[in-house]
Amino acid sequence: MTDFSIQYGDHVSRARRDGRPVVALESTIVSHGLPRPDNLRVAREIEQTVRDNGAVPATIGMIGGRLVVGLDDAQIEHLAGADGVAKLSVRDLALAAATGADGATTVAATSAVAAAAGIGVFATGGLGGVHREANITYDESADLTALSHTPIVVVCAGVKSILDVGATLERLETLGVAVAGYGTHRFPGFFVTDGGFDVDWRLDSPEQVAAAIAARDGQGVSSAALVLGNPLPDDEQLDPQLHDRTLADGLTLLAREGITGKAVTPFLLAHFHESTEGRSLAVNVRIILRNAALAARIAAAAAPAPASLGFSIPA
């Protein structure tokens, strides 16, 4: 293969032509974030939720070395069922393409590819961040540095609660990444509504989010992302006491088994799923569907808008 340029699904190409709002979606939730067979069902529900809220879904991933913005259903099904799908951050994209790999994109890679394709809104579950005991391990997600130079809105339920949330917020501040709560001044805690930390800024409508990003683009000062924390309602969160017990047990298992790096997050998410008898999975699904709906409304509110908020159409 000699053409390594970004490929577009037919539905995304039509959106480019028609100037319709588009929402980027990651593929790691399909290949690594959710157990089979729930992963395929949920991937389809996420895309439909984006459509139901006025935008076009663009799930990003790699098939046989081809980087695709807007995987079709057969390609999503392939990534959901195949073994050995690589977990791709930004640094992995060229190497995976050169070796003809199948790959699922992380928050960092999805954000970077989406921005390169002219998509300005991205829905995910929870961000990566600074791992616990990072002062010893130096373990920090590439999501953070990628967002420091990627002009995109990331709609999320905060940072994955298995990480060091406070340290992650400090790093985002240092890196110049804007953080706001959607309808709240409290940063959400992924499985739980309140992550335990305040945020300085609150945005209350899709139109206000779109205005904030238009202001960033108009000023031309920052090219960093806006992280928009969209909390679950109290009655939809995982029971906080159950969450804390499960996390403590999971961290003990991590230390005992010597699990580090990329393996930490999928291990702990699987531990939550097993230990909570599927309740954490149900919460995770609610998170991503709510974020997909909000991201679609933001993308729709931003149209017509500057190129970074919709789809740029190459000549």
Side-chain angles (χ1 to χ4, degrees):
M1 185 171 68
T2 57
D3 182 6
F4 293 111
S5 60
I6 294 174
Q7 309 293 305
Y8 295 92
D10 289 343
H11 61 292
V12 175
S13 294
R14 289 193 295 272
R16 290 167 67 86
R17 182 192 64 219
D18 299 339
R20 298 182 60 196
V22 178
V23 171
L25 301 170
E26 65 173 288
S27 47
T28 50
I29 195 169
V30 179
S31 295
H32 302 95
L34 296 172
R36 300 173 186 169
D38 300 286
N39 57 345
L40 179 58
R41 172 183 58 82
V42 173
R44 288 168 171 161
E45 289 180 5
I46 296 167
E47 290 209 332
Q48 188 58 48
T49 297
V50 171
R51 295 186 192 98
D52 291 344
N53 285 272
V56 175
T59 302
I60 295 173
M62 183 172 288
I63 303 291
R66 297 174 65 248
L67 186 58
V68 181
V69 173
L71 297 168
D72 64 27
D73 189 69
Q75 291 169 327
I76 291 174
E77 184 172 1
H78 173 70
L79 291 183
D83 295 325
V85 174
K87 188 176 182 180
L88 303 180
S89 190
V90 179
R91 69 171 189 169
D92 305 307
L93 293 173
L95 294 168
T99 56
D102 289 334
T105 52
T106 63
V107 167
T110 305
S111 299
V113 174
I119 305 173
V121 185
F122 166 35
T124 187
L127 289 185
V130 179
H131 286 242
R132 294 166 188 263
E133 300 185 350
N135 59 317
I136 299 171
T137 64
Y138 292 90
D139 197 350
E140 176 183 310
S141 172
D143 293 355
L144 305 185
T145 50
L147 294 178
S148 71
H149 53 76
T150 305
I152 197 162
V153 185
V154 183
V155 182
C156 62
V159 176
K160 291 184 176 70
S161 54
I162 57 181
L163 305 174
D164 188 328
V165 178
T168 301
L169 287 171
E170 291 289 347
R171 285 292 287 144
L172 287 170
E173 179 181 358
T174 300
L175 292 167
V177 177
V179 179
Y182 190 73
T184 180
H185 276 287
R186 296 290 284 176
F187 193 63
F190 192 53
F191 286 133
V192 293
T193 300
D194 189 338
F197 296 88
D198 287 328
V199 291
D200 293 333
W201 297 100
R202 166 178 171 160
L203 299 172
D204 292 316
S205 69
E207 292 75 16
Q208 198 170 30
V209 179
I213 305 308
R216 179 201 64 197
D217 294 348
Q219 292 165 353
V221 176
S222 172
S223 59
L226 165 61
V227 171
L228 185 67
N230 183 32
L232 281 172
D234 288 338
D235 61 355
E236 294 187 20
Q237 69 178 332
L238 188 65
D239 176 78
Q241 292 185 341
L242 173 61
H243 170 272
D244 292 347
R245 289 196 306 271
T246 305
L247 177 57
D249 291 343
L251 294 173
T252 299
L253 288 172
L254 275 181
R256 181 185 305 161
E257 299 186 21
I259 296 170
T260 60
K262 288 184 177 181
V264 168
T265 297
F267 175 86
L268 284 177
L269 291 178
H271 169 72
F272 263 86
H273 175 56
E274 181 179 354
S275 298
T276 64
E277 298 178 336
R279 279 171 284 185
S280 68
L281 173 62
V283 172
N284 201 355
V285 172
R286 288 197 292 272
I287 286 169
I288 185 59
L289 293 178
R290 283 174 51 83
N291 292 343
L294 176 57
R297 295 196 296 271
I298 292 168
S308 66
L309 279 176
F311 236 111
S312 60
I313 304 176

